[in-house]
Amino acid sequence: MAGLYTSLRPQLPSSASSATSLHSFTSKLLLLLTVLPLTLAFFAFVLQWRGGGVDDPISRWSPEESHKFPGMDSSPLATVGAHSSQSSDCSSLLGHANTASFPYYRDWKFNFQADLKPKICITTSTSAGLEQILPWMFYHKVIGVTTFLLFVEGKAASPDVSKVLESIPGVKVIYRTKELEEQQARSRIWNETWLSSFFYKPCNYELFVKQSLNMEMAIVKARDAGMDWIIHLDTDELLHPAGGREYSLRRLLLDVPGNVDMVIFPNYESSVERDDIKEPFTEVSMFKKNYDHLTKDTYFGMYKEATRGNPNYFLTYGNGKSAARIQDHLRPNGAHRWHNYMKTPNEIKLEEAAVLHYTYAKFSDLTSRRDRCGCKPTKEDVKRCFMLEFDRSAFIIASTATEEEMLTWYREHVVWGDRTLNLKLLRKGILTRIYAPMVVIQGLREAGVFSTVITSAQASLSKDKFLASIEKSNSTRAVSSQSLPSRKIGKNHDSQATARRIFDTAAAAYHEAAIPPLSPPVMDNDLMNEA
């Protein structure tokens, strides 16, 4: 036993030493785990306080610019008012960096033209007022458009409207003056055949020719301004750049391959659910999808229910709008497409992005269209004025019916008041809900963007400029009081004959007819067999 105890005694000091060593290591590890997070936190604080030296594009914006853009929250009802309270620089930047869905919102000033690629130009021919043009314009600024070429007439050319438009950076206002008419009378378009079937006809045909002539001039102005893409869009249409990594038209076009000349945006048509809509951009969220974004089985299988007794699946056009890459020999091909004098453009059609067309979204649209056209309200005469059947029917109703009868017709043919049918078509994918434009424009309004633009223009414009705008407006009204066919514009064919001969026979082969507004496919026997 003594030997046993003797052999064990030397091991006791060794065990105690091992325990002491383990305790020391544990203490150091705990100290390290305590100090390390504190050190990292301190380092992060120093970086934030000093700016960190990190070239973060969001950190270059002012604190006011770092607030969330309306619609960044998961709820579609989020507005800028919910984020109007001031917060610290750190929390604001961190909150914005991970959720920036609209990359061109910078303190509602949109000062990004110098560094934005590609540069996108939208051109339009409009007679609308500020209540329609400003939301339309600033929405497109939010999604990356830098330049607007506005060919104005009527209300849009009045001093109260035009002086505001001229004060907005990136906006060029072109008045329909006598000089403009004379310049367009010398256009080569009048000596070519691709648009000739639309010449010297009233109403929609006249507008179609006028838009094409304006688009021709817009190409030159866009090229001189260094634009990369040009889009023709009406002021009742909004581009919906779905399908990209961000809600950005710029990003969408940036990803287009370099060999593509034209990008087609299929159009969706507004489906209003009330007869008292006043501001379609912020009150309409339901749209009917384009045939190009549906399967044939779905489209033709639900055709009758989606048409609801109207002449076609859509009330108006169904062949979308397009964006063209600025290049040599580019020309318009009607209001919906572009073409090239020297080649057939290489085009692609987008699978998710669309043009949202707010057509007949207000009951007053019936009478406003009627008031712009002097045709007789007969089935035969309206064919001279309108290209699409629904426009013809609407014109006759607006010209012959009482206010009550018009409202009844509007409810039956335009308003989607059957909630059961709406739900069915939503489930089938014929109808869809789109909230982004509504949220963007409502956010702009609540932030005071439109009112600020109007107030600033009224305060900054000089008396001389104001008088000049009145003179332009007067000349515009004098010219626009006549109809295009009655003018001499375009009748001097000899003046351009020499210029026309410079193009050889091969080039002439590319002068295919202009593409008019076309209805979607109809449900006939051939299409049903294909389906």
Side-chain angles (χ1 to χ4, degrees), residues 45-68:
F45 172 78
V46 172
L47 281 179
Q48 291 179 351
W49 179 60
R50 294 176 56 89
V54 181
D55 188 22
D56 182 357
I58 294 177
S59 67
R60 294 197 298 267
W61 304 351
S62 67
E64 292 81 4
E65 292 170 328
S66 63
H67 290 309
K68 285 185 179 181

mmCIF file with all atom_site columns, all heavy atoms in Angstrom, residues 45-68:
data_model
loop_
_atom_site.group_PDB
_atom_site.id
_atom_site.type_symbol
_atom_site.label_atom_id
_atom_site.label_alt_id
_atom_site.label_comp_id
_atom_site.label_asym_id
_atom_site.label_entity_id
_atom_site.label_seq_id
_atom_site.pdbx_PDB_ins_code
_atom_site.Cartn_x
_atom_site.Cartn_y
_atom_site.Cartn_z
_atom_site.occupancy
_atom_site.B_iso_or_equiv
_atom_site.pdbx_formal_charge
_atom_site.auth_seq_id
_atom_site.auth_comp_id
_atom_site.auth_asym_id
_atom_site.auth_atom_id
_atom_site.pdbx_PDB_model_num
ATOM 1   N N   . PHE A 1 45 ? -18.113 52.491 -35.965 1.00 0.00 ? 45 PHE A N   1
ATOM 2   C CA  . PHE A 1 45 ? -18.534 53.852 -35.612 1.00 0.00 ? 45 PHE A CA  1
ATOM 3   C C   . PHE A 1 45 ? -17.606 54.885 -36.235 1.00 0.00 ? 45 PHE A C   1
ATOM 4   O O   . PHE A 1 45 ? -18.052 55.900 -36.783 1.00 0.00 ? 45 PHE A O   1
ATOM 5   C CB  . PHE A 1 45 ? -18.552 54.010 -34.087 1.00 0.00 ? 45 PHE A CB  1
ATOM 6   C CG  . PHE A 1 45 ? -18.793 55.423 -33.630 1.00 0.00 ? 45 PHE A CG  1
ATOM 7   C CD1 . PHE A 1 45 ? -20.082 55.960 -33.658 1.00 0.00 ? 45 PHE A CD1 1
ATOM 8   C CD2 . PHE A 1 45 ? -17.751 56.237 -33.202 1.00 0.00 ? 45 PHE A CD2 1
ATOM 9   C CE1 . PHE A 1 45 ? -20.317 57.261 -33.258 1.00 0.00 ? 45 PHE A CE1 1
ATOM 10  C CE2 . PHE A 1 45 ? -17.977 57.538 -32.806 1.00 0.00 ? 45 PHE A CE2 1
ATOM 11  C CZ  . PHE A 1 45 ? -19.261 58.051 -32.828 1.00 0.00 ? 45 PHE A CZ  1
ATOM 12  N N   . VAL A 1 46 ? -16.292 54.630 -36.180 1.00 0.00 ? 46 VAL A N   1
ATOM 13  C CA  . VAL A 1 46 ? -15.320 55.561 -36.760 1.00 0.00 ? 46 VAL A CA  1
ATOM 14  C C   . VAL A 1 46 ? -15.518 55.675 -38.266 1.00 0.00 ? 46 VAL A C   1
ATOM 15  O O   . VAL A 1 46 ? -15.471 56.753 -38.855 1.00 0.00 ? 46 VAL A O   1
ATOM 16  C CB  . VAL A 1 46 ? -13.882 55.101 -36.424 1.00 0.00 ? 46 VAL A CB  1
ATOM 17  C CG1 . VAL A 1 46 ? -12.860 55.948 -37.197 1.00 0.00 ? 46 VAL A CG1 1
ATOM 18  C CG2 . VAL A 1 46 ? -13.630 55.208 -34.924 1.00 0.00 ? 46 VAL A CG2 1
ATOM 19  N N   . LEU A 1 47 ? -15.759 54.515 -38.929 1.00 0.00 ? 47 LEU A N   1
ATOM 20  C CA  . LEU A 1 47 ? -15.978 54.536 -40.378 1.00 0.00 ? 47 LEU A CA  1
ATOM 21  C C   . LEU A 1 47 ? -17.202 55.360 -40.750 1.00 0.00 ? 47 LEU A C   1
ATOM 22  O O   . LEU A 1 47 ? -17.181 56.147 -41.695 1.00 0.00 ? 47 LEU A O   1
ATOM 23  C CB  . LEU A 1 47 ? -16.139 53.102 -40.899 1.00 0.00 ? 47 LEU A CB  1
ATOM 24  C CG  . LEU A 1 47 ? -14.860 52.286 -41.090 1.00 0.00 ? 47 LEU A CG  1
ATOM 25  C CD1 . LEU A 1 47 ? -15.224 50.893 -41.576 1.00 0.00 ? 47 LEU A CD1 1
ATOM 26  C CD2 . LEU A 1 47 ? -13.913 52.962 -42.073 1.00 0.00 ? 47 LEU A CD2 1
ATOM 27  N N   . GLN A 1 48 ? -18.281 55.171 -40.015 1.00 0.00 ? 48 GLN A N   1
ATOM 28  C CA  . GLN A 1 48 ? -19.498 55.918 -40.299 1.00 0.00 ? 48 GLN A CA  1
ATOM 29  C C   . GLN A 1 48 ? -19.313 57.405 -40.016 1.00 0.00 ? 48 GLN A C   1
ATOM 30  O O   . GLN A 1 48 ? -19.816 58.256 -40.751 1.00 0.00 ? 48 GLN A O   1
ATOM 31  C CB  . GLN A 1 48 ? -20.672 55.374 -39.488 1.00 0.00 ? 48 GLN A CB  1
ATOM 32  C CG  . GLN A 1 48 ? -21.115 53.991 -39.943 1.00 0.00 ? 48 GLN A CG  1
ATOM 33  C CD  . GLN A 1 48 ? -22.266 53.467 -39.109 1.00 0.00 ? 48 GLN A CD  1
ATOM 34  O OE1 . GLN A 1 48 ? -22.612 54.055 -38.101 1.00 0.00 ? 48 GLN A OE1 1
ATOM 35  N NE2 . GLN A 1 48 ? -22.844 52.348 -39.530 1.00 0.00 ? 48 GLN A NE2 1
ATOM 36  N N   . TRP A 1 49 ? -18.597 57.695 -38.964 1.00 0.00 ? 49 TRP A N   1
ATOM 37  C CA  . TRP A 1 49 ? -18.381 59.099 -38.590 1.00 0.00 ? 49 TRP A CA  1
ATOM 38  C C   . TRP A 1 49 ? -17.508 59.806 -39.622 1.00 0.00 ? 49 TRP A C   1
ATOM 39  O O   . TRP A 1 49 ? -17.743 60.944 -39.999 1.00 0.00 ? 49 TRP A O   1
ATOM 40  C CB  . TRP A 1 49 ? -17.750 59.164 -37.197 1.00 0.00 ? 49 TRP A CB  1
ATOM 41  C CG  . TRP A 1 49 ? -17.468 60.568 -36.744 1.00 0.00 ? 49 TRP A CG  1
ATOM 42  C CD1 . TRP A 1 49 ? -18.369 61.565 -36.580 1.00 0.00 ? 49 TRP A CD1 1
ATOM 43  C CD2 . TRP A 1 49 ? -16.191 61.110 -36.411 1.00 0.00 ? 49 TRP A CD2 1
ATOM 44  N NE1 . TRP A 1 49 ? -17.741 62.711 -36.160 1.00 0.00 ? 49 TRP A NE1 1
ATOM 45  C CE2 . TRP A 1 49 ? -16.390 62.461 -36.046 1.00 0.00 ? 49 TRP A CE2 1
ATOM 46  C CE3 . TRP A 1 49 ? -14.897 60.573 -36.385 1.00 0.00 ? 49 TRP A CE3 1
ATOM 47  C CZ2 . TRP A 1 49 ? -15.345 63.277 -35.671 1.00 0.00 ? 49 TRP A CZ2 1
ATOM 48  C CZ3 . TRP A 1 49 ? -13.862 61.391 -36.005 1.00 0.00 ? 49 TRP A CZ3 1
ATOM 49  C CH2 . TRP A 1 49 ? -14.077 62.734 -35.646 1.00 0.00 ? 49 TRP A CH2 1
ATOM 50  N N   . ARG A 1 50 ? -16.494 59.101 -40.147 1.00 0.00 ? 50 ARG A N   1
ATOM 51  C CA  . ARG A 1 50 ? -15.555 59.700 -41.094 1.00 0.00 ? 50 ARG A CA  1
ATOM 52  C C   . ARG A 1 50 ? -15.992 59.492 -42.541 1.00 0.00 ? 50 ARG A C   1
ATOM 53  O O   . ARG A 1 50 ? -15.383 60.008 -43.458 1.00 0.00 ? 50 ARG A O   1
ATOM 54  C CB  . ARG A 1 50 ? -14.154 59.099 -40.898 1.00 0.00 ? 50 ARG A CB  1
ATOM 55  C CG  . ARG A 1 50 ? -13.519 59.443 -39.572 1.00 0.00 ? 50 ARG A CG  1
ATOM 56  C CD  . ARG A 1 50 ? -12.177 58.712 -39.443 1.00 0.00 ? 50 ARG A CD  1
ATOM 57  N NE  . ARG A 1 50 ? -11.284 59.012 -40.552 1.00 0.00 ? 50 ARG A NE  1
ATOM 58  C CZ  . ARG A 1 50 ? -10.438 60.030 -40.571 1.00 0.00 ? 50 ARG A CZ  1
ATOM 59  N NH1 . ARG A 1 50 ? -10.415 60.869 -39.542 1.00 0.00 ? 50 ARG A NH1 1
ATOM 60  N NH2 . ARG A 1 50 ? -9.650  60.241 -41.597 1.00 0.00 ? 50 ARG A NH2 1
ATOM 61  N N   . GLY A 1 51 ? -17.081 58.749 -42.811 1.00 0.00 ? 51 GLY A N   1
ATOM 62  C CA  . GLY A 1 51 ? -17.490 58.460 -44.179 1.00 0.00 ? 51 GLY A CA  1
ATOM 63  C C   . GLY A 1 51 ? -16.948 57.143 -44.664 1.00 0.00 ? 51 GLY A C   1
ATOM 64  O O   . GLY A 1 51 ? -17.386 56.614 -45.666 1.00 0.00 ? 51 GLY A O   1
ATOM 65  N N   . GLY A 1 52 ? -15.932 56.575 -43.984 1.00 0.00 ? 52 GLY A N   1
ATOM 66  C CA  . GLY A 1 52 ? -15.459 55.242 -44.273 1.00 0.00 ? 52 GLY A CA  1
ATOM 67  C C   . GLY A 1 52 ? -14.585 55.118 -45.486 1.00 0.00 ? 52 GLY A C   1
ATOM 68  O O   . GLY A 1 52 ? -13.973 54.085 -45.724 1.00 0.00 ? 52 GLY A O   1
ATOM 69  N N   . GLY A 1 53 ? -14.525 56.138 -46.336 1.00 0.00 ? 53 GLY A N   1
ATOM 70  C CA  . GLY A 1 53 ? -13.728 56.035 -47.537 1.00 0.00 ? 53 GLY A CA  1
ATOM 71  C C   . GLY A 1 53 ? -14.299 55.070 -48.556 1.00 0.00 ? 53 GLY A C   1
ATOM 72  O O   . GLY A 1 53 ? -13.637 54.722 -49.516 1.00 0.00 ? 53 GLY A O   1
ATOM 73  N N   . VAL A 1 54 ? -15.553 54.611 -48.370 1.00 0.00 ? 54 VAL A N   1
ATOM 74  C CA  . VAL A 1 54 ? -16.182 53.676 -49.280 1.00 0.00 ? 54 VAL A CA  1
ATOM 75  C C   . VAL A 1 54 ? -17.018 54.459 -50.285 1.00 0.00 ? 54 VAL A C   1
ATOM 76  O O   . VAL A 1 54 ? -17.824 55.299 -49.901 1.00 0.00 ? 54 VAL A O   1
ATOM 77  C CB  . VAL A 1 54 ? -17.072 52.669 -48.515 1.00 0.00 ? 54 VAL A CB  1
ATOM 78  C CG1 . VAL A 1 54 ? -17.711 51.687 -49.488 1.00 0.00 ? 54 VAL A CG1 1
ATOM 79  C CG2 . VAL A 1 54 ? -16.238 51.927 -47.491 1.00 0.00 ? 54 VAL A CG2 1
ATOM 80  N N   . ASP A 1 55 ? -16.826 54.173 -51.567 1.00 0.00 ? 55 ASP A N   1
ATOM 81  C CA  . ASP A 1 55 ? -17.543 54.910 -52.614 1.00 0.00 ? 55 ASP A CA  1
ATOM 82  C C   . ASP A 1 55 ? -18.921 54.316 -52.819 1.00 0.00 ? 55 ASP A C   1
ATOM 83  O O   . ASP A 1 55 ? -19.179 53.644 -53.810 1.00 0.00 ? 55 ASP A O   1
ATOM 84  C CB  . ASP A 1 55 ? -16.734 54.874 -53.912 1.00 0.00 ? 55 ASP A CB  1
ATOM 85  C CG  . ASP A 1 55 ? -17.328 55.781 -54.971 1.00 0.00 ? 55 ASP A CG  1
ATOM 86  O OD1 . ASP A 1 55 ? -18.063 56.710 -54.590 1.00 0.00 ? 55 ASP A OD1 1
ATOM 87  O OD2 . ASP A 1 55 ? -17.058 55.555 -56.177 1.00 0.00 ? 55 ASP A OD2 1
ATOM 88  N N   . ASP A 1 56 ? -19.779 54.536 -51.842 1.00 0.00 ? 56 ASP A N   1
ATOM 89  C CA  . ASP A 1 56 ? -21.158 54.052 -51.908 1.00 0.00 ? 56 ASP A CA  1
ATOM 90  C C   . ASP A 1 56 ? -22.015 55.120 -52.565 1.00 0.00 ? 56 ASP A C   1
ATOM 91  O O   . ASP A 1 56 ? -22.098 56.248 -52.067 1.00 0.00 ? 56 ASP A O   1
ATOM 92  C CB  . ASP A 1 56 ? -21.653 53.772 -50.477 1.00 0.00 ? 56 ASP A CB  1
ATOM 93  C CG  . ASP A 1 56 ? -23.073 53.228 -50.470 1.00 0.00 ? 56 ASP A CG  1
ATOM 94  O OD1 . ASP A 1 56 ? -23.687 53.125 -51.543 1.00 0.00 ? 56 ASP A OD1 1
ATOM 95  O OD2 . ASP A 1 56 ? -23.548 52.919 -49.370 1.00 0.00 ? 56 ASP A OD2 1
ATOM 96  N N   . PRO A 1 57 ? -22.690 54.814 -53.702 1.00 0.00 ? 57 PRO A N   1
ATOM 97  C CA  . PRO A 1 57 ? -23.483 55.846 -54.377 1.00 0.00 ? 57 PRO A CA  1
ATOM 98  C C   . PRO A 1 57 ? -24.582 56.420 -53.508 1.00 0.00 ? 57 PRO A C   1
ATOM 99  O O   . PRO A 1 57 ? -24.946 57.573 -53.648 1.00 0.00 ? 57 PRO A O   1
ATOM 100 C CB  . PRO A 1 57 ? -24.070 55.098 -55.588 1.00 0.00 ? 57 PRO A CB  1
ATOM 101 C CG  . PRO A 1 57 ? -23.964 53.647 -55.258 1.00 0.00 ? 57 PRO A CG  1
ATOM 102 C CD  . PRO A 1 57 ? -22.766 53.525 -54.393 1.00 0.00 ? 57 PRO A CD  1
ATOM 103 N N   . ILE A 1 58 ? -25.095 55.624 -52.591 1.00 0.00 ? 58 ILE A N   1
ATOM 104 C CA  . ILE A 1 58 ? -26.156 56.144 -51.728 1.00 0.00 ? 58 ILE A CA  1
ATOM 105 C C   . ILE A 1 58 ? -25.587 57.123 -50.713 1.00 0.00 ? 58 ILE A C   1
ATOM 106 O O   . ILE A 1 58 ? -26.200 58.128 -50.380 1.00 0.00 ? 58 ILE A O   1
ATOM 107 C CB  . ILE A 1 58 ? -26.878 54.982 -51.028 1.00 0.00 ? 58 ILE A CB  1
ATOM 108 C CG1 . ILE A 1 58 ? -27.612 54.131 -52.063 1.00 0.00 ? 58 ILE A CG1 1
ATOM 109 C CG2 . ILE A 1 58 ? -27.847 55.477 -49.985 1.00 0.00 ? 58 ILE A CG2 1
ATOM 110 C CD1 . ILE A 1 58 ? -28.296 52.934 -51.482 1.00 0.00 ? 58 ILE A CD1 1
ATOM 111 N N   . SER A 1 59 ? -24.350 56.858 -50.240 1.00 0.00 ? 59 SER A N   1
ATOM 112 C CA  . SER A 1 59 ? -23.767 57.735 -49.235 1.00 0.00 ? 59 SER A CA  1
ATOM 113 C C   . SER A 1 59 ? -23.401 59.095 -49.802 1.00 0.00 ? 59 SER A C   1
ATOM 114 O O   . SER A 1 59 ? -23.129 60.030 -49.065 1.00 0.00 ? 59 SER A O   1
ATOM 115 C CB  . SER A 1 59 ? -22.519 57.084 -48.633 1.00 0.00 ? 59 SER A CB  1
ATOM 116 O OG  . SER A 1 59 ? -21.486 56.982 -49.595 1.00 0.00 ? 59 SER A OG  1
ATOM 117 N N   . ARG A 1 60 ? -23.415 59.219 -51.165 1.00 0.00 ? 60 ARG A N   1
ATOM 118 C CA  . ARG A 1 60 ? -23.138 60.514 -51.764 1.00 0.00 ? 60 ARG A CA  1
ATOM 119 C C   . ARG A 1 60 ? -24.341 61.427 -51.733 1.00 0.00 ? 60 ARG A C   1
ATOM 120 O O   . ARG A 1 60 ? -24.242 62.615 -52.004 1.00 0.00 ? 60 ARG A O   1
ATOM 121 C CB  . ARG A 1 60 ? -22.662 60.321 -53.223 1.00 0.00 ? 60 ARG A CB  1
ATOM 122 C CG  . ARG A 1 60 ? -21.332 59.611 -53.347 1.00 0.00 ? 60 ARG A CG  1
ATOM 123 C CD  . ARG A 1 60 ? -20.756 59.843 -54.740 1.00 0.00 ? 60 ARG A CD  1
ATOM 124 N NE  . ARG A 1 60 ? -21.597 59.307 -55.779 1.00 0.00 ? 60 ARG A NE  1
ATOM 125 C CZ  . ARG A 1 60 ? -21.467 58.094 -56.300 1.00 0.00 ? 60 ARG A CZ  1
ATOM 126 N NH1 . ARG A 1 60 ? -20.527 57.290 -55.838 1.00 0.00 ? 60 ARG A NH1 1
ATOM 127 N NH2 . ARG A 1 60 ? -22.264 57.678 -57.273 1.00 0.00 ? 60 ARG A NH2 1
ATOM 128 N N   . TRP A 1 61 ? -25.499 60.888 -51.457 1.00 0.00 ? 61 TRP A N   1
ATOM 129 C CA  . TRP A 1 61 ? -26.713 61.702 -51.435 1.00 0.00 ? 61 TRP A CA  1
ATOM 130 C C   . TRP A 1 61 ? -26.833 62.395 -50.079 1.00 0.00 ? 61 TRP A C   1
ATOM 131 O O   . TRP A 1 61 ? -26.268 61.966 -49.078 1.00 0.00 ? 61 TRP A O   1
ATOM 132 C CB  . TRP A 1 61 ? -27.946 60.836 -51.687 1.00 0.00 ? 61 TRP A CB  1
ATOM 133 C CG  . TRP A 1 61 ? -27.877 60.056 -52.949 1.00 0.00 ? 61 TRP A CG  1
ATOM 134 C CD1 . TRP A 1 61 ? -26.958 60.163 -53.944 1.00 0.00 ? 61 TRP A CD1 1
ATOM 135 C CD2 . TRP A 1 61 ? -28.759 59.009 -53.348 1.00 0.00 ? 61 TRP A CD2 1
ATOM 136 N NE1 . TRP A 1 61 ? -27.216 59.275 -54.938 1.00 0.00 ? 61 TRP A NE1 1
ATOM 137 C CE2 . TRP A 1 61 ? -28.304 58.550 -54.608 1.00 0.00 ? 61 TRP A CE2 1
ATOM 138 C CE3 . TRP A 1 61 ? -29.899 58.424 -52.793 1.00 0.00 ? 61 TRP A CE3 1
ATOM 139 C CZ2 . TRP A 1 61 ? -28.941 57.540 -55.293 1.00 0.00 ? 61 TRP A CZ2 1
ATOM 140 C CZ3 . TRP A 1 61 ? -30.539 57.425 -53.476 1.00 0.00 ? 61 TRP A CZ3 1
ATOM 141 C CH2 . TRP A 1 61 ? -30.064 56.993 -54.714 1.00 0.00 ? 61 TRP A CH2 1
ATOM 142 N N   . SER A 1 62 ? -27.613 63.435 -50.064 1.00 0.00 ? 62 SER A N   1
ATOM 143 C CA  . SER A 1 62 ? -27.827 64.160 -48.817 1.00 0.00 ? 62 SER A CA  1
ATOM 144 C C   . SER A 1 62 ? -28.749 63.368 -47.913 1.00 0.00 ? 62 SER A C   1
ATOM 145 O O   . SER A 1 62 ? -29.426 62.445 -48.365 1.00 0.00 ? 62 SER A O   1
ATOM 146 C CB  . SER A 1 62 ? -28.455 65.523 -49.130 1.00 0.00 ? 62 SER A CB  1
ATOM 147 O OG  . SER A 1 62 ? -29.757 65.344 -49.634 1.00 0.00 ? 62 SER A OG  1
ATOM 148 N N   . PRO A 1 63 ? -28.801 63.680 -46.609 1.00 0.00 ? 63 PRO A N   1
ATOM 149 C CA  . PRO A 1 63 ? -29.697 62.951 -45.711 1.00 0.00 ? 63 PRO A CA  1
ATOM 150 C C   . PRO A 1 63 ? -31.133 62.954 -46.185 1.00 0.00 ? 63 PRO A C   1
ATOM 151 O O   . PRO A 1 63 ? -31.840 61.979 -46.045 1.00 0.00 ? 63 PRO A O   1
ATOM 152 C CB  . PRO A 1 63 ? -29.535 63.699 -44.379 1.00 0.00 ? 63 PRO A CB  1
ATOM 153 C CG  . PRO A 1 63 ? -28.181 64.317 -44.454 1.00 0.00 ? 63 PRO A CG  1
ATOM 154 C CD  . PRO A 1 63 ? -27.964 64.667 -45.895 1.00 0.00 ? 63 PRO A CD  1
ATOM 155 N N   . GLU A 1 64 ? -31.578 64.098 -46.744 1.00 0.00 ? 64 GLU A N   1
ATOM 156 C CA  . GLU A 1 64 ? -32.953 64.141 -47.229 1.00 0.00 ? 64 GLU A CA  1
ATOM 157 C C   . GLU A 1 64 ? -33.156 63.172 -48.375 1.00 0.00 ? 64 GLU A C   1
ATOM 158 O O   . GLU A 1 64 ? -34.227 62.618 -48.564 1.00 0.00 ? 64 GLU A O   1
ATOM 159 C CB  . GLU A 1 64 ? -33.306 65.563 -47.678 1.00 0.00 ? 64 GLU A CB  1
ATOM 160 C CG  . GLU A 1 64 ? -33.377 66.578 -46.546 1.00 0.00 ? 64 GLU A CG  1
ATOM 161 C CD  . GLU A 1 64 ? -31.998 67.087 -46.158 1.00 0.00 ? 64 GLU A CD  1
ATOM 162 O OE1 . GLU A 1 64 ? -31.005 66.701 -46.812 1.00 0.00 ? 64 GLU A OE1 1
ATOM 163 O OE2 . GLU A 1 64 ? -31.916 67.883 -45.204 1.00 0.00 ? 64 GLU A OE2 1
ATOM 164 N N   . GLU A 1 65 ? -32.093 62.957 -49.199 1.00 0.00 ? 65 GLU A N   1
ATOM 165 C CA  . GLU A 1 65 ? -32.208 62.086 -50.356 1.00 0.00 ? 65 GLU A CA  1
ATOM 166 C C   . GLU A 1 65 ? -32.217 60.620 -49.969 1.00 0.00 ? 65 GLU A C   1
ATOM 167 O O   . GLU A 1 65 ? -32.520 59.757 -50.765 1.00 0.00 ? 65 GLU A O   1
ATOM 168 C CB  . GLU A 1 65 ? -31.039 62.351 -51.310 1.00 0.00 ? 65 GLU A CB  1
ATOM 169 C CG  . GLU A 1 65 ? -31.107 63.724 -51.958 1.00 0.00 ? 65 GLU A CG  1
ATOM 170 C CD  . GLU A 1 65 ? -29.822 64.058 -52.691 1.00 0.00 ? 65 GLU A CD  1
ATOM 171 O OE1 . GLU A 1 65 ? -28.757 63.606 -52.232 1.00 0.00 ? 65 GLU A OE1 1
ATOM 172 O OE2 . GLU A 1 65 ? -29.871 64.766 -53.698 1.00 0.00 ? 65 GLU A OE2 1
ATOM 173 N N   . SER A 1 66 ? -31.827 60.324 -48.740 1.00 0.00 ? 66 SER A N   1
ATOM 174 C CA  . SER A 1 66 ? -31.679 58.933 -48.358 1.00 0.00 ? 66 SER A CA  1
ATOM 175 C C   . SER A 1 66 ? -32.955 58.316 -47.810 1.00 0.00 ? 66 SER A C   1
ATOM 176 O O   . SER A 1 66 ? -32.960 57.164 -47.433 1.00 0.00 ? 66 SER A O   1
ATOM 177 C CB  . SER A 1 66 ? -30.571 58.809 -47.295 1.00 0.00 ? 66 SER A CB  1
ATOM 178 O OG  . SER A 1 66 ? -30.943 59.514 -46.124 1.00 0.00 ? 66 SER A OG  1
ATOM 179 N N   . HIS A 1 67 ? -34.041 59.079 -47.768 1.00 0.00 ? 67 HIS A N   1
ATOM 180 C CA  . HIS A 1 67 ? -35.298 58.492 -47.322 1.00 0.00 ? 67 HIS A CA  1
ATOM 181 C C   . HIS A 1 67 ? -35.783 57.473 -48.326 1.00 0.00 ? 67 HIS A C   1
ATOM 182 O O   . HIS A 1 67 ? -35.517 57.565 -49.510 1.00 0.00 ? 67 HIS A O   1
ATOM 183 C CB  . HIS A 1 67 ? -36.362 59.581 -47.134 1.00 0.00 ? 67 HIS A CB  1
ATOM 184 C CG  . HIS A 1 67 ? -36.088 60.470 -45.970 1.00 0.00 ? 67 HIS A CG  1
ATOM 185 N ND1 . HIS A 1 67 ? -35.814 59.988 -44.716 1.00 0.00 ? 67 HIS A ND1 1
ATOM 186 C CD2 . HIS A 1 67 ? -36.017 61.821 -45.889 1.00 0.00 ? 67 HIS A CD2 1
ATOM 187 C CE1 . HIS A 1 67 ? -35.604 61.010 -43.899 1.00 0.00 ? 67 HIS A CE1 1
ATOM 188 N NE2 . HIS A 1 67 ? -35.719 62.120 -44.596 1.00 0.00 ? 67 HIS A NE2 1
ATOM 189 N N   . LYS A 1 68 ? -36.530 56.528 -47.851 1.00 0.00 ? 68 LYS A N   1
ATOM 190 C CA  . LYS A 1 68 ? -37.058 55.503 -48.756 1.00 0.00 ? 68 LYS A CA  1
ATOM 191 C C   . LYS A 1 68 ? -37.964 56.112 -49.808 1.00 0.00 ? 68 LYS A C   1
ATOM 192 O O   . LYS A 1 68 ? -38.713 57.032 -49.534 1.00 0.00 ? 68 LYS A O   1
ATOM 193 C CB  . LYS A 1 68 ? -37.854 54.464 -47.956 1.00 0.00 ? 68 LYS A CB  1
ATOM 194 C CG  . LYS A 1 68 ? -37.000 53.511 -47.154 1.00 0.00 ? 68 LYS A CG  1
ATOM 195 C CD  . LYS A 1 68 ? -37.892 52.467 -46.525 1.00 0.00 ? 68 LYS A CD  1
ATOM 196 C CE  . LYS A 1 68 ? -37.104 51.451 -45.720 1.00 0.00 ? 68 LYS A CE  1
ATOM 197 N NZ  . LYS A 1 68 ? -37.988 50.435 -45.131 1.00 0.00 ? 68 LYS A NZ  1
#
